[in-house]
Amino acid sequence: MNTSIVKHMLPFLLLIQGMLWFNSLQARDEFDPTATHILEQLQKMEYTYPQQKAFVHLDKQEYLAGESIWMKVYLVNAASHRPDTLSTNLYVELINSQGELASVNLLRMKDGFSHADIRLPDSITEGNYQLRAYTDWMHNFGEDHFFATDIYVYNPIEENFIRRRDVWQNRQFNRRLERRQEKMQFAFFPEGGELVEGLENRVAFKAANALGAGVEASGEVTDQDGNTVASFSTFHNGMGYFRFTPEPGRRYRASIEFAGGERERVGLPTASGRAHLLSARQTEQSIEVKVARNFRAEDQRAYILAQTRGRAYFMEEALLEDGVFRTSINKELLPTGVTQIVLFDSHGQPIAERLVFVHHGDIAGVDYLEYGVQVVDEQEEMHVAMALDNDQHQGSYSLAILDTHGEAVDYRSNIASELLLFSDLVHATEDPWFYLSDNTGDPAMAADLLMMTHGWRRFDWQKILDDEFPEIRYGFPKGIVFAGKVSPRASDRATGEVDVELAV
C-alpha cells in the first residue's frame, strides 16, 4: 500500500476503536481539560501510531558453521499483545561483530506468525553475531524497537575459508570484549527521577562492567564533611538500593568496592530544592503511590496517570494539601506487564516517573513434561509428552529441545520475558526469565529494582504532549517491494533521474 495513503487512512480506520476506549475511561471519572488533553494524546499515540513487537524463538543460541538456525517468529500489536495482521513481511538479519550484514532474509507473515531457517555457510567467521527482526512499519519508530538477540557461531576450520584479515578482526573484537568486561561502572537512579532535598529518598543503583553485565559491589555514602549517611550492597545482578535524606546545599559521594577488589568514588546527583518526589510500593492487592514536594505552591493540583503498553488504566487528580498526596491503584485494573506511573503538574507537564512491574501469575506454563530416548532400528529416537497448566491458554506455541547437563534453571529470554518486560525497557539484562519466575531469590524485589534502573522506551511524553509524533515514512506492503531511482548513463534525451517502484 502506498505510504501516503496509509498516512491518511490509518487515523480514520482506528478512530472508532479509540473513541470507544476513551469513552469507557471517561465514564468512570470526569476529567478537566488538562487531564483530558493528556489522555487524548496518549490515545492518539496508540491508535494513530500503533506499534508492534516481534519475538524470534530460536532452537538454540550457539551454532556450528554449516548448521541451520531454525526459528519461529511471532509478531504482535505492542499494546494488546494480540497477533498482528497489518504486516505481511518481516526481515531477519544476521549481523557480525564488525556491524556488517552476514545474512538478510525476508519472511512472509500470516496472522502474525512465520517459520523459517537460516543456513550458516561453512565459511562463516567464528564469533558473536546479532540476530534482529523487524517490519517496515517498525522503521517509523527507530531501530531500538527491533527485536534483537545474540548468538555465537563456532567454526573450528575457519582459517581454511576466511581471509586472514577477517580472522584477525574477529579476534581483536573478542579481545576488546574481554577488556570491557574488566572495566567497572556505577550509576544512581533516584526514585521518581531526581533527588529531592529535605525528604527521604529511595535511591537505586546499578554496578556493572562496561558490557552492562551486573557485578557485586558494596560501599557507603558520605557528605562533604566525610560523615556517613548511608551504606549499601548489591541485592541481585549488580542492583540494590538505599535510603537517605539530602540536606539543603550539601554534596554527597559514594565510595564503592567491587567484587574484584577495584575501588571507585562516584558523586551523587545534586538534590533539588524545588521538586516533587514520586514513590510507589506494591502490596498483594494494590500499588500504593505517594507524592510529596519540598516547596510551597499556590496551585495544589497535580495528576497521576498509570499506563501499560501505551494504554491508560488509571488517572486521578491529586491535591497536594500540606505538600503530600497518597493514593492506591487497584492492581486488578492493570494487566501483567510494565506499568508506567507518571506525575504531571497543574499545567499537564510530566515531572516524575516510576515504573512498576505487575505480575498476576497468568503466564501459561507447563503442567508436566516427560521425555525419553529409545533405540528403534539402531537409531535413537526421542519422545516428548507435555501439557499446559490449564486448557484456557489457547494459541500458537513453539518448543525447542536441547541436550543440557546439570540441573541449573534456564533463565534465558523467552517470549513472556520479552513481550511483558524487556520490550518496554531501555536496556536488557542477564537472565530475563528470573524476574517472572517463582523460584527462590525474591524475583519480585529484583524486578522492582529493575524498574528503578531501566527507563521506559516506547515513547517520550513531552513529544506526544507537544504533538511531535513519529513521521510515518513506511507503510504495510502486502508483497515484496523494490524502490529506487533510475539514472540514465547514455541517452540522446535528458531524462534525469526517475523514481521507480516494483511490487510482486
Side-chain angles (χ1 to χ4, degrees):
M1 183 180 291
N2 185 279
T3 304
S4 62
I5 297 177
V6 172
K7 195 182 303 183
H8 291 90
M9 289 183 61
L10 192 57
F12 176 75
L13 294 174
L14 297 171
L15 179 61
I16 296 178
Q17 185 179 5
M19 290 174 61
L20 292 174
W21 168 79
F22 186 69
N23 287 338
S24 66
L25 183 65
Q26 201 169 31
R28 292 194 293 269
D29 294 286
E30 291 297 329
F31 300 119
D32 64 19
T34 300
T36 299
H37 175 68
I38 295 170
L39 291 170
E40 286 177 340
Q41 294 301 94
L42 183 61
Q43 172 199 4
K44 184 177 180 180
M45 183 66 193
E46 178 185 355
Y47 290 106
T48 308
Y49 305 92
Q51 295 185 27
Q52 301 168 321
K53 295 180 181 180
F55 178 77
V56 181
H57 184 192
L58 303 178
D59 58 329
K60 52 186 177 180
Q61 298 295 128
E62 298 179 349
Y63 297 87
L64 280 172
E67 286 187 321
S68 291
I69 302 175
W70 295 94
M71 66 186 73
K72 180 173 180 180
V73 182
Y74 300 80
L75 183 66
V76 300
N77 175 276
S80 66
H81 284 175
R82 294 185 177 277
D84 176 271
T85 57
L86 294 174
S87 292
T88 57
N89 295 341
L90 182 136
Y91 302 90
V92 177
E93 297 176 342
L94 202 58
I95 304 170
N96 65 21
S97 56
Q98 279 75 49
E100 303 166 337
L101 284 174
S103 174
V104 181
N105 303 267
L106 179 60
L107 275 57
R108 184 72 171 174
M109 303 297 295
K110 183 178 181 182
D111 299 328
F113 306 102
S114 184
H115 300 80
D117 66 279
I118 300 175
R119 177 74 175 179
L120 298 174
D122 294 336
S123 59
I124 192 170
T125 304
E126 179 173 313
N128 299 283
Y129 289 81
Q130 182 187 73
L131 184 144
R132 69 176 188 175
Y134 58 91
T135 64
D136 291 278
W137 183 253
M138 287 182 180
H139 267 294
N140 296 310
F141 309 99
E143 295 184 3
D144 289 343
H145 294 81
F146 295 178
F147 170 84
T149 188
D150 296 325
I151 66 170
Y152 193 88
V153 177
Y154 294 94
N155 192 339
I157 56 173
E158 68 173 333
E159 296 190 27
N160 295 333
F161 300 98
I162 309 300
R163 293 178 303 170
R164 187 176 298 276
R165 178 176 175 273
D166 293 335
V167 174
W168 178 83
Q169 284 183 338
N170 193 65
R171 289 175 178 170
Q172 287 293 104
F173 174 79
N174 288 329
R175 292 192 187 101
R176 288 196 298 271
L177 288 183
E178 293 175 0
R179 288 195 294 270
R180 292 181 67 184
Q181 288 177 334
E182 298 172 357
K183 186 177 180 180
M184 298 295 111
Q185 55 185 341
F186 196 93
F188 296 102
F189 303 89
E191 186 174 24
E194 62 180 327
L195 285 179
V196 182
E197 288 182 354
L199 300 175
E200 186 181 58
N201 290 246
R202 187 180 185 214
V203 183
F205 62 85
K206 177 69 183 274
N209 60 28
L211 295 176
V215 295
E216 293 186 6
S218 60
E220 61 181 20
V221 178
T222 57
D223 63 15
Q224 59 198 43
D225 297 326
N227 301 311
T228 300
V229 298
S231 59
F232 57 85
S233 61
T234 51
F235 173 77
H236 176 78
N237 192 24
M239 299 180 295
Y241 78 94
F242 58 89
R243 297 178 184 271
F244 88 114
T245 302
E247 297 181 12
R250 301 191 71 79
R251 301 185 303 275
Y252 300 90
R253 295 181 66 85
S255 300
I256 306 146
E257 181 176 355
F258 297 93
E262 301 90 341
R263 295 177 179 271
E264 190 172 347
R265 285 179 61 82
V266 179
L268 269 70
T270 302
S272 175
R274 186 179 177 85
H276 290 77
L277 182 64
L278 172 65
S279 60
R281 181 179 62 87
Q282 282 201 65
T283 67
E284 188 174 344
Q285 291 83 24
S286 64
I287 301 174
E288 302 300 318
V289 180
K290 177 183 176 182
V291 180
R293 65 183 175 198
N294 61 354
F295 64 96
R296 293 181 178 275
E298 292 184 5
D299 196 335
Q300 305 286 339
R301 288 178 305 153
Y303 303 91
I304 297 174
L305 171 73
Q307 67 88 10
T308 303
R309 298 193 288 274
R311 182 173 297 175
Y313 290 91
F314 175 91
M315 189 164 196
E316 184 174 356
E317 180 179 315
L319 294 177
L320 275 73
E321 299 177 356
D322 300 324
V324 178
F325 177 80
R326 290 180 173 84
T327 190
S328 180
I329 303 175
N330 189 338
K331 287 165 61 173
E332 291 184 0
L333 298 175
L334 307 169
T336 293
V338 177
T339 292
Q340 182 194 46
I341 301 172
V342 186
L343 178 67
F344 299 87
D345 65 15
S346 59
H347 303 291
Q349 295 300 305
I351 54 177
E353 170 192 300
R354 174 70 154 91
L355 299 184
V356 176
F357 182 66
V358 176
H359 190 2
H360 292 295
D362 52 354
I363 301 172
V366 176
D367 187 40
Y368 73 88
L369 176 65
E370 297 179 354
Y371 59 91
V373 177
Q374 63 183 29
V375 178
V376 179
D377 295 331
E378 299 183 352
Q379 292 185 344
E380 288 188 347
E381 293 184 356
M382 174 174 282
H383 297 269
V384 178
M386 63 172 293
L388 298 178
D389 53 8
N390 60 59
D391 59 359
Q392 301 300 315
H393 296 95
Q394 299 182 6
S396 180
Y397 295 84
S398 52
L399 173 69
I401 301 175
L402 302 177
D403 183 15
T404 62
H405 302 281
E407 300 298 327
V409 179
D410 185 358
Y411 289 128
R412 289 178 300 180
S413 179
N414 55 37
I415 192 170
S417 62
E418 178 66 24
L419 297 187
L420 295 174
L421 197 56
F422 290 99
S423 59
D424 291 328
L425 300 180
V426 174
H427 304 293
T429 188
E430 309 105 292
D431 300 333
W433 178 244
F434 172 83
Y435 301 96
L436 282 77
S437 69
D438 56 0
N439 291 281
T440 58
D442 200 350
M445 176 63 180
D448 197 50
L449 289 172
L450 192 72
M451 297 296 100
M452 294 181 66
T453 56
H454 292 62
W456 171 258
R457 74 187 293 184
R458 284 281 151 189
F459 54 79
D460 183 287
W461 267 108
Q462 194 61 61
K463 287 184 177 181
I464 68 172
L465 290 174
D466 293 339
D467 264 334
E468 296 180 21
F469 290 94
E471 179 185 358
I472 301 302
R473 295 181 296 164
Y474 303 91
F476 299 101
K478 297 302 181 183
I480 301 175
V481 177
F482 300 92
K485 294 181 180 293
V486 174
S487 301
R489 291 183 176 273
S491 175
D492 293 336
R493 295 180 298 173
T495 58
E497 292 187 335
V498 179
D499 292 326
V500 296
E501 184 174 297
L502 172 66
V504 294

